[in-house]
Amino acid sequence: MGQGPTTFVCVTGDLGAAFMGLQVLEREGRLYSRDKSFQPDLSGYEYIIERQLKPEFPADVLKQLDKLGIIPTSMIDISDGLASDLMHICKSSGTGCRLYYDKIPIDTETSRAAGEFNIDPVIAAMNGGDDYELIFTTPPLNYAKINEIDGVRIIGHLTLPEKGYVLISPEGTEIEMKAQGW
């Protein structure tokens, strides 16, 4: 593929919800196994539990990309976690990447649950998996069109391979990404 350093990395939906839903289900399961009279209270966790139990593929985004005439230069579903699946794209493309921490889409329920478990919600998105959203790359000429698609965000760009796989913190610190997904 040999894309240059200005190819955008885009994602659909929000990330980390399925992983946090699994954390809630496992916690409630452990409590129930200790005390069979325990009644799990899953209220307030409906969205993240549904993302774990009934993931939905974002087929509507594919239709919108087609309608706008956008042909992604690469695409993969996010089943192993954002970091792992993006690294698959980079290795196949012979590129590196830079993602921006504050651009990773996280639902408020995911953030709240992550806080309860003392997990950074972006770490849940990067390594959690099972979101079944899409990650794809596209040239900058599609910038305006990408911004027309509801639920799609530009979260970074591809780089030369020697730049590696990097997550940029809000303060500008470079953090090397590792594939820690499933």
Side-chain angles (χ1 to χ4, degrees), residues 143-162:
Y143 179 81
K145 290 179 183 179
I146 290 295
N147 285 318
E148 289 179 34
I149 303 174
D150 189 40
V152 173
R153 292 194 54 185
I154 298 169
I155 61 168
H157 61 273
L158 298 182
T159 63
L160 297 172
E162 56 270 17

Side-chain angles (χ1 to χ4, degrees), residues 171-182:
E171 301 77 34
T173 304
E174 294 188 4
I175 305 158
E176 182 183 355
M177 286 193 297
K178 303 215 186 287
Q180 298 176 1
W182 301 103

Side-chain angles (χ1 to χ4, degrees), residues 32-108:
Y32 179 76
S33 70
R34 284 187 223 140
D35 177 4
K36 299 297 185 211
S37 67
F38 174 76
Q39 290 296 310
D41 181 9
L42 302 176
S43 59
Y45 302 108
E46 293 85 0
Y47 176 71
I48 62 175
I49 289 171
E50 185 169 318
R51 290 292 306 262
Q52 172 60 41
L53 298 177
K54 296 189 287 184
E56 290 188 29
F57 182 79
D60 59 318
V61 171
L62 297 177
K63 292 175 187 166
Q64 291 178 67
L65 289 170
D66 184 50
K67 180 180 171 187
L68 293 169
I70 298 171
I71 300 172
T73 50
S74 64
M75 180 181 282
I76 190 171
D77 71 343
I78 302 173
S79 57
D80 295 334
L82 177 59
S84 180
D85 291 319
L86 178 57
M87 289 168 74
H88 289 310
I89 287 175
C90 290
K91 287 174 184 169
S92 295
S93 304
T95 65
C97 64
R98 294 173 80 81
L99 295 187
Y100 295 89
Y101 181 99
D102 54 357
K103 301 284 185 192
I104 309 294
I106 308 286
D107 182 78
T108 54

